[in-house]
Amino acid sequence: MTTSNTGAVAPGVTVPEELSNNVMITNIAKLLDPAYNWARRNSIWPMVFGLACCAIEMICTASSRYDLARFGMEVFRATPRQSDLMIISGTVTKKMVPTIVRLYNQMPEPRYVLSMGACASGGGPFKEGYNVVDGIDKFLPVDVYVPGCPPTPQALINGLIALQEKIDQQSIATAPWYRKDDPTAGLVPIPVLGPDLVDLRQLDTIKREAAKAMAEQKQMEEETAVSPKPPDTQSYEIDKDKQ
Amino acid sequence: MYGLGIVRGMAITFRNFVESYLDDIFWWGKGGRYYNDAALQVRQSLKGQGVVTVFYPEEKLSVPERFRFVPFLVTDDPGPGQKWGHDWCTSCGICAKVCPPQCIWIKRGTQPNGRPKPEPEQFFIDIDICMNCGLCAEFCPFDAIKMDHDYELASYDRTTAHIHDKERLSKPISYWREIAPKKAEAEAAARDFAESNKKKKKAKDGEGGDEPRLAEEKVRQLPYRGEYY
Amino acid sequence: MSEAILEAPGSGAPETLANPVEQAISALKERFPEAVVDDPRDGYSGLVVPADKLTEVALALRDDLGFDYLSSVTGVDLIEDGKLEAVYHTYSIDKGGSAVVLHVQVDRDNPVIPSLVPVWPGADFQEREAWDLLGIQFDGHPDLRRILTWDGFHGHPLRKDWKEPFYEEDTKPFGSRWPAGGVLRAEELNPYGQNVQYPAGWVPTGDEYDVETEMYAITGADLAYSIDASQQMKTDKITVNLGPQHPSTHGVFRMVVQLDGETVVDLKPVMGYLHRNHEKIGERNTFLGNIPYTDRLDYLSPISNNLGYVLAVEKLLGSVVPERAEWIRILTVELTRIANHLWAIGFLLNDLGALQTPMLYFYIERELILDFFEALTGARMMNNYMRFGGVAYDLPDEIRGQATMEFLNELVHERLPRAIEQGDNLMTHNEIVRARSIGVGVLTRKESIAYSMAGPMLRASGVNYDVRKAEPYSYYEQLDFDIPVYYNGDVYDRYKVRMDELQQSLRIVRQVLPHLQATEGAPIIDGKPSYAIRTPQPGEAYGRVENPKGELGFYVTAKRRSSSPERYHVRAPSFINLTSLGKMCQGHKVADIVVILGSIDIVLGEVDR
């Protein structure tokens, strides 16, 4: 394969005479990337994973009027092992989040997470709820957020196109999933259910806060133990009011 | 006969299979079935048969005037050299009070003399909390907050993109007239009517005869907003 | 359609001159003198029953007075009196009409009430919910575990003194939103940055939790071998989880199934994976602010939910609804029913293995109905359409380039009947459908009443009960329609009931359209719409509608001049219909579970709320 010697040459590089008519591929990734990404972006298989109201719009997106098959995404897989994309379609509750994280961990790399709707992105209208996780991004790395409550099918497709554009930006050379020394990298520790949801990455914070709360409680107890004792010390009560 | 039910079902699927190609034949030479506005209109109406797919993003399903996605703030059209026009919002706070998930934060502006200014200093809407219910737009007495039709808001980072501040929220009235012409017209008529009533009350001279009554009738006839919004 | 057995409206209902509710109440007071008294509070209509007499009163109601249907069980926290209250709504299947309401008040520190599960098995999940959220102990309940939260959860969230982690203020609107300004994310205030809160002094290690063991224990998953007598073969029962992530469960629902070979021995539904704290949030919201939240209960029929809630609050407010608004309400609600049943039947067939074909055919028509809703209300799904005393918007001018009335006429006279007929031809006589569904998941008439089933589930078991006929609301009395009733109580009959209800809904819509034309331009709301709504009087109200899934009830209590409900409870048909799932599945094969669940037609937003 020969071409004319008008090809671009990096500045400061002198090409030997005998090689000037040959194509030199110095960066395989640049050649492969378009093909690699083209293949991946047109076969994103989502998981059958409906959480709440947004799931209905997700199903409508897959049905005949909006037709995800045009993007090669119609193959909804019921198992995480065969899927590339997790559409978090609805409110993430504390009771459900260990399952979601486990499913995410079971998905093979490269895996993508699309947060569909207000609830999945930030808790949505149910944010104040005691059983609602205020955003799946507290646990999983989210690639694309689609706002709306619920996003219309066209808005979801818009998000999926944004995901395709993101995939186009990736390079085979820098893709983290081929260059991993630690096989557990990228996995998220599964949170557990205690008196409330426990994020295992936060154990230190929780312990610190618990110690703080305990100290406060002790102080309170001491105060209540002291206060009824001297009825004549007016100055003490004034001090306490100030505190 | 056993199996007849299955055969009948197969006949129906076969008919649907054939029907899905009829449009191709019908629109042959008339611009084709896809990427053709006229064809899309027919396909999405009750006349549509066979394949009803909308080829988003190349062709988009039109949204009705009342469609609501996230809210935006209405301003005057900016004058020459101006970036924004005057806010319609008077920072009365009704939208913040009526919002069911409480996703609106308003800070009222103050005049130099310390008195409140009828214009918001800050206005935030967290669209990760917003439930698109439209109550803010419904109860705003100044038509200053409206529901947007723009649903293409996908982003890569929610912390920066999903809290809409005043700058992001403000859109000129011409934009609202463009996306909801009939509704905007009805609202303008209702405002004019209220204005004329006010003037009439102020003047109190009983002149001008028919004019307010005619306006009232006109407002009542408006389908979107009369006395009963 | 030829197999339909349609019962004439009101047939079998004996004509009684006196109000059956009043009769029952006076009979109860006679039988339990001094124990059972009228509720003394303003605006309350029921009876106050002491806890130790509850079972006797319930038996008398069920067996002697004909109030054999326990619709709703819930609790109320009366923190000012230091009491917890359980509220029971019982109805009469034969006589129809309104409810006999029982209030049982117990001490807040020691809330023990006898369980009504021995009388009505349908109280099972509802009592568990009251235990979970309010901490009322039901003595004698066979399986009193938490149902919506998880075992080990800290506290009982619906008690008034329980504050959630993102607690800001008791009632909306929050003062911080205006005119203080400045976007304030709730997580920024919480030391953990998340929606969590731990009891003081609680130190975790991360591996001491086991919230599942108790659940498996209750399904009887003992590891002992049971001996099959016929084959002298040692068999082992195995426990299988279906869900919470499973393609057949219609959402995040989980079933712990105990199998012997492929036969179901026992099945326990596990729910709460979509528990979004609807009631806690609703007690803080303003009355108006709750309307868009009700959309998200049964998100396949949002307008119907709106109607149920609005009816309940209208009872408190005493609003009058103008004529046109009532017609529009019926139009939208019946179209919602059609959209919902199209979806439900499509999914049932999907569960039966007719993967996607019937579903996709029906979606085309459902999309057209959604187009109408979008043009009318502004949203495809979350319509937020009803208001107290009317509806939010009048009919639009045009839909997809067609005048509205023309569009509706064509839709209900041509498109929908054609689609339903096509679906009927495609599925009803299909031999595979019949083989898979006839005789599967049978529920007898007696069982379906005892289990508090509602909607198509009840009517497929031969019970002629429909709230639209039994206690008519809106203008349903003026409309001519039948209630489809089938008598086998299996999956196939539930499918048939839904198919016939589609026809009946179309019939109703056809009758409504001329009224809409006649009332063109008339007001659609009573008075001027207002956002600051306050109740004129204190009291309780129970509004119920016949939702596509069954009887949807809203129990709302309020104080005088209050802007938000004191207690806001949803009687969710999907949730209560699940009570009988274990019973229906026993003895069937694993594959039938999916079909039986599909035939109940649940929506998880409503199950878990």
Side-chain angles (χ1 to χ4, degrees):
Chain A
M1 196 205 292
T2 58
T3 56
S4 63
N5 54 1
T6 53
V9 171
V13 177
T14 46
V15 180
E17 186 66 28
E18 64 272 23
L19 292 177
S20 63
N21 281 337
N22 294 340
V23 171
M24 303 288 291
I25 298 170
T26 52
N27 192 343
I28 293 175
K30 264 188 191 157
L31 188 76
L32 286 180
D33 273 351
Y36 178 65
N37 288 336
W38 173 81
R40 285 188 320 130
R41 81 198 290 273
N42 290 316
S43 64
I44 305 172
W45 292 4
M47 189 155 66
V48 179
F49 187 61
L51 286 177
C53 336
C54 287
I56 306 298
E57 289 295 61
M58 183 177 80
I59 296 167
C60 285
T61 314
S63 77
S64 44
R65 197 182 219 180
Y66 302 98
D67 197 11
L68 273 182
R70 296 180 291 128
F71 300 89
M73 295 179 191
E74 82 282 17
V75 199
F76 275 82
R77 304 313 293 180
T79 162
R81 301 286 186 204
Q82 298 173 355
S83 33
D84 307 299
L85 169 66
M86 191 179 203
I87 301 180
I88 311 282
S89 56
T91 317
V92 181
T93 61
K94 287 178 186 172
K95 199 169 177 178
M96 188 65 194
V97 78
T99 315
I100 295 176
V101 173
R102 176 168 294 153
L103 288 168
Y104 175 80
N105 286 347
Q106 287 173 350
M107 279 164 63
E109 296 260 35
R111 58 194 160 205
Y112 299 96
V113 178
L114 185 141
S115 159
M116 178 184 181
C119 287
S121 306
F126 298 98
K127 186 168 184 162
E128 311 153 51
Y130 49 85
N131 194 26
V132 174
V133 173
D134 53 327
I136 187 63
D137 53 1
K138 294 260 155 65
F139 291 94
L140 304 182
V142 175
D143 294 284
V144 177
Y145 297 89
V146 182
C149 189
T152 59
Q154 298 194 13
L156 177 61
I157 296 179
N158 181 258
L160 290 167
I161 291 170
L163 179 68
Q164 288 188 329
E165 280 162 9
K166 184 167 188 168
I167 290 174
D168 283 340
Q169 303 301 318
Q170 289 178 328
S171 167
I172 196 168
T174 55
W177 46 89
Y178 293 123
R179 41 182 64 219
K180 227 178 274 157
D181 310 321
D182 179 9
T184 62
L187 300 185
V188 181
I190 296 170
V192 291
L193 297 169
D196 208 329
L197 186 71
V198 184
D199 185 353
L200 295 181
R201 295 167 299 184
Q202 275 195 324
L203 280 181
D204 290 339
T205 323
I206 296 169
K207 279 176 187 157
R208 200 178 61 231
E209 290 293 328
K212 217 196 277 174
M214 245 149 60
E216 272 172 22
Q217 210 175 11
K218 223 177 203 175
Q219 204 186 342
M220 283 260 286
E221 274 167 18
E222 277 171 11
E223 273 178 22
T224 46
V226 170
S227 56
K229 198 172 61 184
D232 52 338
T233 51
Q234 252 186 341
S235 58
Y236 166 77
E237 278 184 8
I238 290 165
D239 278 354
K240 211 184 83 179
D241 281 349
K242 271 182 188 167
Q243 282 169 0
Chain B
M1 190 188 86
Y2 192 82
L4 195 66
I6 297 173
V7 173
R8 271 169 73 186
M10 289 302 209
I12 286 166
T13 47
F14 184 72
R15 202 185 67 214
N16 273 279
F17 173 75
V18 173
E19 255 179 21
S20 66
Y21 290 98
L22 291 183
D23 256 12
D24 278 331
I25 300 163
F26 181 78
W27 290 99
W28 192 269
K30 296 182 204 166
R33 170 159 68 163
Y34 301 117
Y35 313 119
N36 176 0
D37 258 359
L40 178 67
Q41 288 306 324
V42 173
R43 213 176 334 136
Q44 293 311 323
S45 73
L46 290 173
K47 311 278 182 290
Q49 291 288 330
V51 177
V52 291
T53 310
V54 183
F55 275 57
Y56 183 88
E58 287 85 5
E59 44 183 44
K60 287 177 186 172
L61 201 57
S62 64
V63 291
E65 277 200 15
R66 287 176 192 171
F67 182 72
R68 45 190 154 87
F69 214 62
V70 295
F72 71 94
L73 291 174
V74 179
T75 65
D76 278 336
D77 285 326
Q82 264 182 312
K83 207 172 170 193
W84 289 293
H86 179 70
D87 289 324
W88 287 28
C89 176
T90 61
S91 74
C92 68
I94 286 178
C95 50
K97 285 175 194 156
V98 84
C99 174
Q102 301 276 288
C103 69
I104 300 178
W105 285 264
I106 306 180
K107 189 170 185 186
R108 174 184 273 175
T110 45
Q111 285 170 348
N113 59 8
R115 297 175 70 184
K117 187 166 71 168
E119 201 171 286
E121 195 176 299
Q122 294 176 339
F123 202 109
F124 296 101
I125 292 179
D126 188 342
I127 61 165
D128 278 344
I129 300 180
C130 175
M131 68 200 298
N132 306 0
C133 66
L135 287 179
C136 49
E138 198 175 321
F139 286 100
C140 178
F142 304 99
D143 295 329
I145 188 164
K146 291 287 159 210
M147 302 307 277
D148 206 343
H149 288 191
D150 180 18
Y151 49 81
E152 293 166 329
L153 295 171
S155 65
Y156 298 117
D157 181 16
R158 80 177 171 104
T159 49
T160 53
H162 285 199
I163 293 186
H164 288 189
D165 56 5
K166 202 177 145 194
E167 192 176 324
R168 170 80 171 72
L169 286 167
S170 295
K171 287 183 180 175
I173 180 68
S174 54
Y175 172 74
W176 177 240
R177 287 204 193 101
E178 190 185 307
I179 61 173
K182 277 187 196 160
K183 224 175 154 180
E185 190 196 328
E187 284 160 7
R191 276 197 304 274
D192 288 347
F193 173 64
E195 194 70 21
S196 71
N197 255 7
K198 223 194 239 168
K199 266 183 196 161
K200 198 188 156 199
K201 243 180 211 169
K202 259 186 189 170
K204 266 193 180 172
D205 50 354
E207 267 182 73
D210 283 353
E211 211 175 293
R213 220 182 57 230
L214 279 178
E216 190 178 344
E217 259 171 31
K218 194 181 162 202
V219 167
R220 275 187 201 284
Q221 277 168 4
L222 288 167
Y224 294 99
R225 177 176 180 140
E227 209 167 48
Y228 311 101
Y229 178 58
Chain C
M1 293 305 125
S2 58
E3 287 172 35
I5 305 162
L6 298 172
E7 286 203 357
S11 75
E15 278 189 29
T16 42
L17 290 170
N19 185 346
V21 176
E22 282 165 19
Q23 271 183 346
I25 285 178
S26 60
L28 277 180
K29 279 196 280 196
E30 230 167 76
R31 195 182 293 193
F32 304 95
E34 290 180 17
V36 174
V37 289
D38 279 325
D39 201 317
R41 289 168 293 181
D42 258 358
Y44 284 74
S45 61
L47 293 167
V48 176
V49 180
D52 53 340
K53 285 272 190 301
L54 178 66
T55 314
E56 287 172 51
V57 171
L59 280 171
L61 267 177
R62 187 190 70 176
D63 297 336
D64 305 337
L65 301 170
F67 279 74
D68 49 355
Y69 183 70
L70 178 73
S71 165
S72 150
V73 181
T74 184
V76 182
D77 183 10
L78 305 169
I79 190 164
E80 282 152 15
D81 307 339
K83 280 184 175 159
L84 283 172
E85 184 184 66
V87 185
Y88 302 84
H89 284 79
T90 58
Y91 287 93
S92 168
I93 290 281
D94 292 333
K95 294 176 201 155
S98 56
V100 172
V101 190
L102 307 178
H103 296 98
V104 183
Q105 295 183 349
V106 283
D107 192 34
R108 202 158 179 274
D109 301 321
N110 182 28
V112 185
I113 293 177
S115 169
L116 283 191
V117 175
V119 186
W120 281 294
D124 185 354
F125 285 2
Q126 305 189 62
E127 285 185 354
R128 276 177 70 188
E129 187 197 320
W131 155 247
D132 186 0
L133 301 182
L134 280 150
I136 302 174
Q137 287 172 31
F138 290 93
D139 204 14
H141 190 287
D143 178 22
L144 197 64
R145 283 176 300 120
R146 287 184 181 265
I147 185 162
L148 294 181
T149 60
W150 57 90
D151 289 321
F153 186 81
H154 178 60
H156 299 287
L158 275 186
R159 290 199 177 191
K160 291 280 177 192
D161 52 359
W162 194 94
K163 305 290 185 212
E164 62 265 44
F166 282 170
Y167 172 77
E168 282 179 74
E169 280 165 54
D170 244 353
T171 50
K172 286 175 184 174
F174 297 149
S176 61
R177 302 303 205 250
W178 178 86
V183 62
L184 181 88
R185 293 198 151 186
E187 53 262 49
E188 284 159 17
L189 290 180
N190 192 304
Y192 310 103
Q194 288 186 13
N195 193 2
V196 290
Q197 166 180 274
Y198 305 105
W202 176 78
V203 184
T205 57
D207 51 9
E208 75 249 45
Y209 313 109
D210 187 8
V211 296
E212 310 275 270
T213 313
E214 210 178 327
M215 186 168 56
Y216 291 130
I218 207 80
T219 56
D222 55 337
L223 295 173
Y225 286 100
S226 56
I227 296 182
D228 190 328
S230 57
Q231 302 188 350
Q232 292 295 311
M233 201 163 79
K234 275 186 174 182
T235 57
D236 193 1
K237 286 178 186 158
I238 53 163
T239 305
V240 173
N241 272 302
L242 277 108
Q245 146 65 10
H246 191 271
S248 76
T249 52
H250 296 215
V252 282
F253 179 63
R254 174 176 170 194
M255 292 169 281
V256 180
V257 192
Q258 211 197 351
L259 297 173
D260 185 356
E262 218 181 307
T263 310
V264 179
V265 180
D266 196 7
L267 182 147
K268 291 276 172 197
V270 184
M271 47 193 89
Y273 292 98
L274 191 54
H275 178 44
R276 302 192 274 195
N277 330 115
H278 189 87
E279 292 176 11
K280 185 84 177 172
I281 293 173
E283 280 167 24
R284 190 185 286 177
N285 268 345
T286 58
F287 284 114
L288 181 77
N290 267 337
I291 298 176
Y293 277 94
T294 59
D295 288 337
R296 286 148 180 87
L297 278 173
D298 173 359
Y299 37 74
L300 287 174
S301 44
I303 296 190
S304 241
N305 303 340
N306 283 180
L307 182 61
Y309 173 65
V310 163
L311 284 180
V313 179
E314 277 170 0
K315 279 185 195 170
L316 283 176
L317 301 175
S319 331
V320 187
V321 186
E323 195 192 346
R324 182 171 175 79
E326 290 280 28
W327 292 125
I328 297 181
R329 281 182 177 189
I330 296 180
L331 169 79
T332 49
V333 164
E334 292 304 325
L335 282 178
T336 305
R337 192 183 314 277
I338 294 170
N340 178 81
H341 281 349
L342 289 178
W343 183 281
I345 294 170
F347 253 82
L348 173 63
L349 267 288
N350 209 1
D351 290 341
L352 275 166
L355 205 61
Q356 312 223 329
T357 307
M359 203 169 88
L360 288 175
Y361 287 177
F362 276 163
Y363 280 1
I364 297 172
E365 265 64 29
R366 183 178 177 270
E367 285 284 338
L368 292 172
I369 297 176
L370 292 193
D371 275 350
F372 169 66
F373 286 158
E374 195 179 28
L376 175 68
T377 69
R380 285 160 52 88
M381 276 175 72
M382 302 308 171
N383 306 106
N384 182 19
Y385 184 56
M386 304 282 172
R387 296 287 179 272
F388 307 123
V391 293
Y393 314 96
D394 208 339
L395 294 181
D397 283 351
E398 52 149 45
I399 301 160
R400 296 251 173 268
Q402 231 176 335
T404 303
M405 291 314 286
E406 198 186 310
F407 179 92
L408 283 174
N409 272 318
E410 198 172 333
L411 186 69
V412 301
H413 284 112
E414 286 172 37
R415 281 303 291 246
L416 289 173
R418 200 164 64 204
I420 294 167
E421 201 200 329
Q422 171 184 300
D424 195 39
N425 286 337
L426 179 63
M427 297 171 293
T428 309
H429 299 290
N430 187 307
E431 282 77 6
I432 303 170
V433 172
R434 291 170 67 98
R436 286 288 312 271
S437 58
I438 291 179
V440 173
V442 176
L443 210 58
T444 63
R445 181 190 156 94
K446 222 175 181 178
E447 282 166 351
S448 68
I449 295 173
Y451 276 104
S452 303
M453 293 286 114
M457 293 289 290
L458 197 61
R459 292 191 283 276
S461 298
V463 184
N464 182 7
Y465 192 76
D466 187 310
V467 183
R468 291 174 295 175
K469 289 275 189 202
E471 195 187 356
Y473 52 92
S474 199
Y475 283 174
Y476 276 110
E477 246 170 331
Q478 303 179 23
L479 293 164
D480 183 28
F481 64 100
D482 296 319
I483 298 171
V485 179
Y486 286 83
Y487 293 89
N488 294 325
D490 57 8
V491 173
Y492 189 67
D493 275 10
R494 284 169 211 144
Y495 159 78
K496 295 276 284 182
V497 166
R498 293 205 172 92
M499 281 306 256
D500 284 5
E501 276 187 12
L502 286 173
Q503 301 284 3
Q504 296 301 325
S505 289
L506 277 180
R507 202 171 141 196
I508 293 172
V509 174
R510 281 178 203 143
Q511 291 170 53
V512 168
L513 288 180
H515 289 288
L516 284 175
Q517 229 140 15
T519 55
E520 190 85 44
I524 51 159
I525 193 162
D526 171 36
K528 205 169 182 290
S530 161
Y531 63 91
I533 295 159
R534 286 181 184 276
T535 46
Q537 278 128 22
E540 63 170 359
Y542 187 70
R544 55 177 194 153
V545 288
E546 187 67 34
N547 232 30
K549 311 269 191 297
E551 177 192 330
L552 176 76
F554 286 87
Y555 178 70
V556 182
T557 72
K559 289 182 177 161
R560 195 176 167 273
R561 307 284 310 149
S562 75
S563 60
S564 53
E566 188 70 8
R567 176 79 175 97
Y568 166 72
H569 173 72
V570 185
R571 186 245 186 245
S574 303
F575 174 66
I576 296 165
N577 283 354
L578 279 175
T579 319
S580 67
L581 180 65
K583 172 91 183 58
M584 284 193 287
C585 289
Q586 275 168 16
H588 286 294
K589 299 280 187 280
V590 187
D592 293 330
I593 296 175
V594 177
V595 183
I596 294 168
L597 182 72
S599 76
I600 301 179
D601 182 20
I602 57 165
V603 159
L604 264 295
E606 192 176 68
V607 172
D608 297 338
R609 281 156 290 148

